[in-house]
Amino acid sequence: MGNFTTAKAVTFLDIETTHLDPKRSAVLEISIITDWESGSTDTWTTKIKPKPIEIEFASKEALEICGYNEEAWEDAPSFEDVADTIASKLRYGPLVAHNISFDINHLTAVFERYKYQQWNRELPDSAKTFSFGYPKIDTCALAYMFLPTERQNLDTLREHFDISTEGSHTAEKDVNDCRQVFYSIVSETIKE
């Protein structure tokens, strides 16, 4: 498998959700950045239009934090429309996110709700599957291990690395900042 310095790709992920509980949550927005060993970068971001029942079970606080309003999400695709794209983009690892277990738990719950199965060799090729790149790297944990900050939330790390907070709690801003935090920590800890 090698290590970070020999990885074919590094994929960064951030999602915004309707609730903190994965059983009640829908994905409102997702952003995925893949840095390829060739030096090219793919960035993909989309809002995802929740179903009325998903809004019914949503946390008002979560919707407010994410800036959700019906008008801004009116033309967004449904999860069904983008599920295959998400699944294909997340299979490359290492997979990096800030508090990665949050993103993985929510995406797993939503994929399973839409009858996707976690990929394994025994499933037929026709099965709707998803998998997550390996290893899964949490920038919150990296910050805890390598930075002198009292806290490890993304806003604290933005302050530490002098990254603007403008636009935070959007998937695109948060994934870009997570990526910047990751490479900043890596550059301080990996010696060639």
Side-chain angles (χ1 to χ4, degrees), residues 14-16 29 62-68 73 153-156 158-159 163-178:
D14 188 78
I15 63 172
E16 301 300 326
E29 189 176 22
L63 296 177
E64 187 176 306
I65 288 170
C66 297
Y68 174 79
W73 268 258
N153 64 51
L154 199 49
D155 280 342
T156 298
R158 286 178 174 121
E159 184 178 331
I163 301 168
S164 169
T165 59
E166 187 174 333
S168 61
H169 295 295
T170 64
E172 186 171 18
K173 167 71 171 157
D174 290 355
V175 78
N176 276 296
D177 292 354
C178 172

Side-chain angles (χ1 to χ4, degrees), residues 87-103:
S88 71
K89 290 183 177 294
L90 293 180
R91 67 180 179 216
Y92 303 105
L95 181 61
V96 182
H98 193 78
N99 190 11
I100 196 165
S101 61
F102 178 90
D103 300 78

Side-chain angles (χ1 to χ4, degrees), residues 30-102:
I30 186 167
S31 191
I32 301 168
I33 300 173
T34 304
D35 290 332
W36 299 97
E37 71 176 337
S38 65
S40 66
T41 298
D42 293 331
T43 303
W44 183 78
T45 301
T46 188
K47 286 178 167 50
I48 298 174
K49 187 174 184 175
K51 293 181 175 182
I53 190 75
E54 293 169 329
I55 290 298
E56 185 179 322
F57 285 97
S59 156
K60 286 184 172 48
E61 182 180 2
L63 296 177
E64 187 176 306
I65 288 170
C66 297
Y68 174 79
N69 66 71
E70 284 186 33
E71 187 177 316
W73 268 258
E74 183 63 35
D75 295 326
S78 67
F79 188 82
E80 295 103 326
D81 293 337
V82 294
D84 288 340
T85 300
I86 294 168
S88 71
K89 290 183 177 294
L90 293 180
R91 67 180 179 216
Y92 303 105
L95 181 61
V96 182
H98 193 78
N99 190 11
I100 196 165
S101 61
F102 178 90

